[in-house]
Amino acid sequence: MLRVKQYTAQKTLIAQYAARFVQPGDSLFVNAGTTTTIFARELVKSVDHLIVITNSPQIAHEFWNNGQSANSIYLLGGDYNGAEVETLGSTIVDQVRRFHTDHAFLTVGTLHAVQGFMDYRVETAEMNRTMVKQTQRATVLIDSSKLDQMALITACDLDTID
């Protein structure tokens, strides 16, 4: 996965900044992505006793390993995509609808000034859209390479993100 090594410094700064918004005991959605994986790695350095709901086995592992299992972790089950190391599908959306979280920390395919936050896969966009609806505060973590780009489908409008 080449993207893991791209924009690492930017992604780390984004992750460190975003981690400041999380308090012990908070509940959060964190979707699969390279930036959100770095976010998880940074967050466990400073905050524990979190309730984490994710579709990423890697992110679940970050919170389990580095958090010394002081966090409650829910790994959403669905169709496994090994190339992206994530689960997706309609079952994920149904599972997300059962939760109500304090935060959602998401990465998306692109950010377009008119179309909003976009993704390349319908399943990803639908899951992200549902996570935004089920949280009190939604934050998108993206590096500069995703700005002013188009993708296949809009995941959420600009005004839905805090």
Side-chain angles (χ1 to χ4, degrees), residues 55-79:
N55 69 318
S56 166
Q58 281 183 312
I59 289 171
H61 188 70
E62 290 293 334
F63 281 104
W64 179 264
N65 253 2
N66 297 326
Q68 303 292 313
S69 71
N71 302 305
S72 296
I73 305 155
Y74 297 90
L75 182 59
L76 301 169
D79 297 325

Side-chain angles (χ1 to χ4, degrees), residues 14 18 28-37 39 53-55 59 76 96 101 103-110 117-119 124-135 137-143 146 155-156 160-162:
I14 291 165
L28 41 141
F29 289 120
V30 183
N31 73 348
T34 56
T35 306
T36 48
T37 300
F39 168 72
I53 301 105
T54 185
N55 69 318
I59 289 171
L76 301 169
V96 169
T101 64
H103 304 278
F105 290 94
L106 309 173
T107 189
V108 295
T110 66
F117 296 97
M118 303 184 79
D119 273 297
T124 303
E126 186 177 1
M127 181 193 67
N128 289 345
R129 189 177 311 113
T130 306
M131 285 181 172
V132 168
K133 288 179 183 175
Q134 297 300 112
T135 193
R137 182 177 185 160
T139 304
V140 174
L141 311 176
I142 58 172
D143 64 72
K146 297 180 179 189
C156 48
T160 63
I161 303 301
D162 297 294

